Structures are given as structure tokens and as C-alpha cells.
Amino acid sequence: MRVVTVDDASILVLEEVTQEIKDTLSTRLVEYCYGRVKAAEDPDYYSFDLTIDEFFKLYDTKSETTKLGIAGELIVHLLVPRGHEKLVSAALYLNKEERAIKRGFDLTFYDDHDGGLWYGEVKAGRVSDTQTADGKVRDLIGVAERSLHEMFTSDVRKKRWDAALLDADATLQSTQASSVKKLLRADFKTVHGGGAAKVRALLCGVVMRDLLLDEIDSETGKALIESVKGRGRFADLRLLLIQQSELEDLIEVLRASIGAPD
């Protein structure tokens, strides 16, 4: 995997699913789905086998578009530490009440550097015959930017913050969880009262594109940071741009780990 950092944008090109990535996925999937705090409470109940069974009961019933989104979110959970190492996930990957993709914010993070809170939005997609990897990732970041901004302006829903509060308890140690929950409640009170929250945003674009055709250019990351910052929608901004030939490769790694049919 190649990692390029330009300003506050990290570009990750995943050339292959290495054994290290496979091992990380196998050891961390339960934490992604249920949170490291919950997973540690009862390793038998929150086992890998039961978790992966629930995962495929979700994944295999979804449309191709939704499957691509699920694969995109999974790779972001896996690779965020490679691009933004100070961000500690405070979000669960799966919905807690039903076999569905998680509602509310795609991601929330505790900043291990300053104790702050970051909100993440993930968009994933394939590059069409008329596009390039650069063009597709620009489109995806544009959609992610607008979607997250709307959650704090024209589409404010308390249930998003309610879900994030529950996630914090499941994923973070008590002091970190307390800090994140305080900030989440403060942000909701601000926007509910008609004010503007100072949102720190991590926007993630995940593209599927044959690496032999073209790759995301480092200048694209720089230009995106400048353009999004220029619109002034967020108090702080980071980007995570990921390219992989087949986003579903990670899904097939999970299938292989249980011998499930393709």
C-alpha cells in the first residue's frame, strides 16, 4: 500500500490485500461492528464467527450499490489509522437494532492529540468508462461534503446524535467516551437552537479503479483541501482518498475466512 500525504489529505492506494491487512481485518472486525469496549465484555458472545455470520446476513441481501457502500465503509474503518493516526474511531460499523447499514453519521472520531471530536462521511463508487480516478474522487468528496453539511443545517435529526452517543460508550474508554459525548451533546444543542456548530470533518472518498489505468494524483488531494476549505462549511478539515482495483476484495477475504461460497 502506498500512502501520500498532502496538506491535510491522505491518499492511500491499496495495490493488494496483504497478509497484514487480512490479519488486521480478522482481529478487528468484531470491534468495528460492536465496539472494542463491548467486544471485551464477552468474547464468546461477540465472537468473530457470530459477527461474520451477521455481516453476511446483511451484505448478501443488499443491492449492488449498497454493497459497494458497505465495502467502502469497511475499508475506511480499516485504513483510517494509516492516513490519520491520531483519530480513534468512536463509531460502530453495523446498525444496532436491525440488519441494516448504520444510521446517522457514517463515522465519529476521538482526536487522541487534543481530545476533540471529528465527524466522518464516506462515499464510495466505481470509475466509469468516461471518468478518471481523479474525477471520480472529486465527485465523491463533493457529495460527502454536501451530505455532512446538510446534517448540521437543513437536515438536523436528533437520532443521529443519539446513535453517536451510544456508539461512544461501546467503542471508547470511559474518559474518551465522556469527552466525546459532551461534545456531541453540545453540537446538537447548538444546531437545534439555530446556531452553527464548529464541525471538524473527515471526508472520505473510496474509488474502485484498475491501478494500471490511472491513479489518484497527489495534486488532486491538495486541490480538494483548498476548494472545500474555501467554501467554509467546516471549522477543520481532513480528507482520506482511497483507491483499490476491487473494493470487494476485502469482502472476499471475509468469505474465505469462513469458507463461504462466492
Side-chain angles (χ1 to χ4, degrees), residues 104-144:
F105 302 111
D106 285 345
L107 298 163
T108 46
F109 297 95
Y110 171 81
D111 192 320
D112 199 36
H113 174 69
D114 60 16
L117 168 66
W118 291 75
Y119 295 88
E121 183 71 10
V122 181
K123 297 300 177 185
R126 292 183 175 88
V127 178
S128 70
D129 292 338
T130 60
Q131 289 179 310
T132 63
D134 284 328
K136 184 63 177 182
V137 83
R138 282 194 294 267
D139 291 346
L140 293 173
I141 292 299
V143 175

Side-chain angles (χ1 to χ4, degrees), residues 36-207:
R36 65 177 62 88
V37 174
K38 283 290 185 184
E41 290 179 356
D42 191 336
D44 290 332
Y45 184 82
Y46 298 106
S47 70
F48 177 78
D49 288 344
L50 290 174
T51 300
I52 205 169
D53 180 62
E54 285 297 307
F55 176 86
F56 281 110
K57 285 176 180 176
L58 158 69
Y59 184 83
D60 288 338
T61 62
K62 301 304 177 185
S63 68
E64 289 304 308
T65 299
T66 301
K67 286 180 178 180
L68 189 61
I70 292 172
E73 283 199 32
L74 179 59
I75 197 171
V76 168
H77 272 274
L78 186 66
L79 297 183
V80 159
R82 309 290 183 99
H84 299 281
E85 68 278 358
K86 294 295 184 181
L87 298 186
V88 179
S89 177
L92 300 182
Y93 179 44
L94 297 183
N95 188 294
K96 293 173 287 299
E97 293 95 18
E98 57 185 283
R99 289 185 181 128
I101 53 177
K102 192 173 76 69
R103 308 298 181 184
F105 302 111
D106 285 345
L107 298 163
T108 46
F109 297 95
Y110 171 81
D111 192 320
D112 199 36
H113 174 69
D114 60 16
L117 168 66
W118 291 75
Y119 295 88
E121 183 71 10
V122 181
K123 297 300 177 185
R126 292 183 175 88
V127 178
S128 70
D129 292 338
T130 60
Q131 289 179 310
T132 63
D134 284 328
K136 184 63 177 182
V137 83
R138 282 194 294 267
D139 291 346
L140 293 173
I141 292 299
V143 175
E145 177 192 355
R146 292 189 295 273
S147 297
L148 187 59
H149 179 62
E150 288 171 0
M151 294 179 192
F152 288 85
T153 53
S154 61
D155 189 25
V156 176
R157 303 184 189 185
K158 184 173 181 289
K159 65 181 181 181
R160 293 194 181 102
W161 280 268
D162 290 338
L165 289 165
L166 292 173
D167 283 8
D169 279 326
T171 57
L172 299 173
Q173 299 300 324
S174 58
T175 54
Q176 295 175 338
S178 178
S179 176
V180 165
K181 290 191 295 181
K182 181 179 179 180
L183 293 169
L184 285 166
R185 290 192 293 265
D187 283 348
F188 174 75
K189 290 175 184 177
T190 297
V191 296
H192 183 65
K198 294 182 178 180
V199 180
R200 306 171 85 182
L202 174 66
L203 304 180
C204 307
V206 186
V207 299

